[in-house]
Amino acid sequence: MWSSFQGYLPPGLVILCTILSFIVPLGTYLINRLLHKNGDPPWKQQNETEQEHNKSPQNQP
């Protein structure tokens, strides 16, 4: 039964590249977010929290 499914599966390299095309950007995003959280100066962190607060739907008329 397994041999009938093997004909439909793409080669191993295609599967590996598909998985990596998801993991690499996600990892880059998470590392970048962590670096900004720990490395941004205090004045920039305050501005970002104020901007996020102003964008919330509760504050819109």
Side-chain angles (χ1 to χ4, degrees), residues 21-41:
S21 70
F22 176 75
I23 291 175
V24 169
L26 179 65
T28 303
Y29 168 75
L30 293 174
I31 290 171
N32 190 21
R33 193 171 77 174
L34 181 67
L35 288 173
H36 277 286
K37 179 182 173 188
N38 294 326
D40 282 348

Side-chain angles (χ1 to χ4, degrees), residues 3 11 31 33 51 53 58:
S3 61
I31 290 171
R33 193 171 77 174
Q51 288 175 354
H53 182 68
Q58 297 169 353

